[in-house]
Amino acid sequence: DLDEPLQKTFCFPSVKECISQDIDHILETQSALAVDLGGTNLRVAIIGMRGKIVEKYTQPNPKSFEARMQLILKMCADAMRDAVSLNCRILGVGVSTGGRVNPQEGLVLHSTNLIQEWSAVDLRTPISDALHLPVWVDNDGNCAALAEKKFGYGKNVENFVTVITGTGIGGGIIHNNELIHGSTFCAAELGHIMVSLEGPECSCGSRGCIEAYASGNALQREAKRLQDEDLLKVEGLNIKQAETITAAHLISAARLGNNQADTVLNKASTALGVGIVNILHIVNPTLVILSGVLASYYQAPVQRIISERALKSAQDIKVLTSVLEEPALLGAASMVLDYTTRR
Ligand code: ADP
Ligand code: BMX
Ligand code: MG
Ligand code: CA
Ligand code: ZN
């Protein structure tokens, strides 16, 4: 109250306003450095407390251990410098990566050949030594689930599952508000749910995995096959000579009436849908959140497969397309922000 007359006379902000401005300022400046290592890309970002991506850097993920490690450290060091001029105070580093991860030790235990030379890698020590910051590491699909829990459709949802499509297919399971890691950190490798005994070969060495049918890589493989057999063409689709064929071409071709492309995509959607029905029958979540480049394409067919093929009690479980821009990066950041600001 003592503040009142002063404030009126001199137009100062009240004590209450000052405190709330301070809190706003702290929430804005306290940030995490997030790293995401995928089958194609290596991304680093500066991310604020409320999930704002302040700056993002993308490079192809190098194929060798040495080059990859060097690039991670360089991109992080560059981002740390930018953080100073952006007025972001970096509290720690969160790393999201493909592969089985022991988050207690900050170790990548094993990777499929989607990321080569990436087994038995201690990520925490070199990053922490170089940047003098605490480091958290988890699997990319698990990170995507953490992001949905903190910033996305998983907010206030006790049990949900997320499936993220990139080069491969990653997964994360939140059960009773917590991630499931399993006995050997191999839980929620949802891309390797198998939906056929034969089926296409998977990057994991097995076959018939949903990743081998429905991932970015799988659709690119099928698009290239059609292109090689001269079957991708359809009126309205113009592919330039030097253009790299991707899943996007397959989707365009199907939309323009190419039956072969349509058949491939139906098979991919069915495989993914059946895989997700299996998940529903194991963990019975409230919600399934799809993310990644193909999420909006897959949402309706997956929902339909669930209604056709799940047990009656699971048929109405909702499938949503994530609204988050970069779930893996946001989840990596959330590990930092949740631990460093917990009281
Ligand atoms: P990562 O697997 O490295 O985490 P991303 O999540 O960045 O990579 O996804 C890369 C994958 O997405 C690649 O397989 C690429 O072919 C595919 N892709 C990129 N852009 C598109 C697009 N517009 N439509 C469909 N697929 C795409
Ligand atoms: C692979 C596997 C998963 C990962 C998924 C999605 C490795 C290296 N990766 O199934 O651990 O979650 O890919 O990864 O074993 P992305 O490359 O599509 O982001
Ligand atoms: Mg990824
Ligand atoms: Ca996972
Ligand atoms: Zn597999």
Side-chain angles (χ1 to χ4, degrees), residues 36-39 41 43 96 140 164-167 328:
D36 176 39
L37 291 138
N41 294 305
R43 294 192 173 88
S96 145
D140 52 7
I164 179 162
T165 313
T167 315

Side-chain angles (χ1 to χ4, degrees), residues 72-277:
I72 294 170
L73 295 177
K74 179 175 187 317
M75 288 172 79
C76 285
D78 290 350
M80 289 295 290
R81 266 190 296 278
D82 290 352
V84 176
S85 48
L86 290 163
N87 201 21
C88 293
R89 201 162 75 78
I90 305 291
L91 301 174
V93 186
V95 185
S96 145
T97 177
R100 271 54 61 208
V101 173
N102 176 337
Q104 277 100 50
E105 306 290 338
L107 293 173
V108 185
L109 302 170
H110 171 258
S111 290
T112 69
N113 63 20
L114 209 58
I115 307 183
Q116 284 157 32
E117 301 185 19
W118 208 233
S119 296
V121 175
D122 174 4
L123 272 180
R124 176 172 290 155
T125 309
I127 297 175
S128 173
D129 284 355
L131 303 178
H132 307 288
L133 285 169
V135 176
W136 285 266
V137 188
D138 209 334
N139 165 270
D140 52 7
N142 296 3
C143 286
L146 291 178
E148 296 298 344
K149 181 96 186 114
K150 191 171 170 73
F151 303 115
Y153 284 130
K155 238 186 266 181
N156 306 318
V157 182
E158 282 179 30
N159 300 289
F160 72 90
V161 163
T162 193
V163 174
I164 179 162
T165 313
T167 315
I169 292 185
I173 301 174
I174 298 281
H175 181 72
N176 296 343
N177 290 312
E178 301 276 359
L179 273 178
I180 296 183
H181 285 95
S183 66
T184 59
F185 307 103
C186 195
E189 275 293 350
L190 303 180
H192 306 282
I193 289 177
M194 292 166 212
V195 292
S196 77
L197 298 181
E198 268 92 64
E201 279 178 26
C202 184
S203 61
C204 73
S206 185
R207 56 198 321 147
C209 301
I210 59 174
E211 178 169 302
Y213 283 101
S215 63
N217 243 3
L219 295 190
Q220 185 175 42
R221 178 198 69 217
E222 291 303 300
K224 282 180 172 160
R225 182 182 59 78
L226 290 183
Q227 172 79 338
D228 287 349
E229 294 168 12
D230 212 22
L231 295 172
L232 195 60
K233 57 177 194 284
V234 57
E235 203 182 319
L237 184 70
N238 302 306
I239 306 175
K240 295 188 196 75
Q241 198 81 59
E243 212 171 307
T244 318
I245 305 293
T246 70
H249 294 101
L250 198 70
I251 293 172
S252 303
R255 288 200 169 125
L256 290 164
N258 180 320
N259 286 329
Q260 311 260 3
D262 196 54
T263 305
V264 168
L265 284 168
N266 271 326
K267 202 166 182 181
S269 311
T270 307
L272 182 65
V274 167
I276 288 176
V277 169

Side-chain angles (χ1 to χ4, degrees), residues 291-308:
S291 63
V293 277
L294 297 159
S296 60
Y297 177 81
Y298 284 134
Q299 182 191 356
V302 167
Q303 188 81 72
R304 182 174 46 78
I305 303 280
I306 291 173
S307 69
E308 288 169 4

